[in-house]
């Protein structure tokens, strides 16, 4: 058991952190596919907690109340879908409301603590690409490569607007921009694991870069650290 734990601790991790709608998910999934590594979308876990707590009518700012849902929460990732108990929540957690609820419950220390073991469980051979806000700072501080990926708030709002329209949802640019700015503020000003750029993280501003360019840059940086 100790040997197993030790060998998993040696499994390489690429941590990609950054603000909401910075493209982390797209980039992390593409890098993971290229390397044939596992992929952890840690934001999905906070979205699940936000969704379940909202449905249960809990106070989203009450640590003990919200963290009580862990007693009954079985989360399963399978074939790019996410299941909670017997329900496929993949689409439900992507809504703006779940995102807003996620940002609130993510500020609660017991919720963050309750998700640590689950996130560590994704560290499996041959490697892991993990995206979120605290992948490089708290969950995988020994990550072999740390990236801080961002883009201007206006560019991120534009990307989210396009996504929503493509899905057939209605969207308003001014509302989206305000929402992104409010979420940025909450994610980076909370006391528990705030979003920040680690000193050893590589900064990438994707405002004027294509997805392919950013993926290539991350793979190139990873190549460089592998060679050291
Ligand atoms: O990446 P996302 O938009 O799906 O994340 C949803 C919310 O969860 C976001 O407001 C910040 C929070 N989050 C977090 O606090 N820590 C993480 N590792 C991932 C997400």
């Amino acid at each position: 058991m100790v040997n197993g734990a030790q060998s998993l601790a040696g499994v390489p991790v690429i941590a990609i952190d950054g603000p909401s709608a910075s493209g982390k998910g797209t980039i992390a999934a593409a890098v993971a596919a290229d390397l044939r590594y596992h992929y952890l979308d840690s934001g999905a876990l906070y979205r699940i907690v936000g969704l379940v707590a909202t449905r249960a009518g809990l106070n989203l700012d009450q640590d003990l109340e919200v963290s009580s849902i862990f007693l009954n929460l079985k989360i399963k990732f399978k074939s790019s879908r996410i299941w909670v108990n017997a329900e496929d929540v993949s689409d439900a957690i992507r809504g703006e409301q779940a995102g807003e609820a996620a940002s609130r419950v993510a500020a609660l220390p017991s919720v963050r603590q309750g998700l640590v073991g689950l996130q560590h469980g994704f560290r499996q051979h041959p490697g892991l690409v993990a995206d979120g806000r605290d992948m490089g700072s708290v969950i995988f501080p020994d990550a072999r490569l740390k990236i801080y990926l961002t883009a201007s708030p206006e560019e991120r709002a534009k990307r989210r607007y396009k996504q929503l329209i493509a899905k057939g949802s209605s969207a308003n640019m001014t509302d989206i921009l305000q929402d992104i700015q409010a979420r940025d503020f909450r994610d980076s000003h909370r006391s528990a694991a705030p979003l920040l750029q680690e000193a050893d993280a590589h900064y990438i501003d994707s405002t004027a870069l294509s997805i392919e360019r950013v993926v290539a840059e991350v793979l190139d940086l990873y190549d460089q650290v592998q060679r050291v």
Side-chain angles (χ1 to χ4, degrees), residues 24 42-43 46-47 102-103 106 112 132-135 183 187 190:
K24 300 180 306 290
S42 65
Y46 292 94
R47 286 172 178 270
S103 176
R112 304 203 71 83
R133 306 294 188 288
D134 61 344
M135 296 298 97
R183 217 174 287 178
D187 292 345
R190 65 182 179 221

Side-chain angles (χ1 to χ4, degrees), residues 123-190:
R123 189 173 200 165
Q124 298 285 339
H125 292 286
L128 173 68
V129 183
D131 87 65
R133 306 294 188 288
D134 61 344
M135 296 298 97
S137 56
V138 177
I139 306 296
F140 303 111
D142 61 338
R144 204 161 285 180
L145 176 67
K146 296 180 188 178
I147 303 286
Y148 185 85
L149 181 66
T150 189
S152 71
E154 291 74 18
E155 174 63 22
R156 289 187 280 132
K158 217 183 319 167
R159 291 176 189 169
R160 176 151 286 165
Y161 177 84
K162 280 194 197 151
Q163 266 174 2
L164 289 169
I165 295 295
K167 273 199 299 187
S169 311
S170 61
N172 173 301
M173 263 302 273
T174 315
D175 291 349
I176 295 175
L177 182 58
Q178 271 175 7
D179 179 60
I180 280 184
Q181 285 166 332
R183 217 174 287 178
D184 281 358
F185 186 87
R186 197 173 316 127
D187 292 345
S188 49
H189 287 80
R190 65 182 179 221

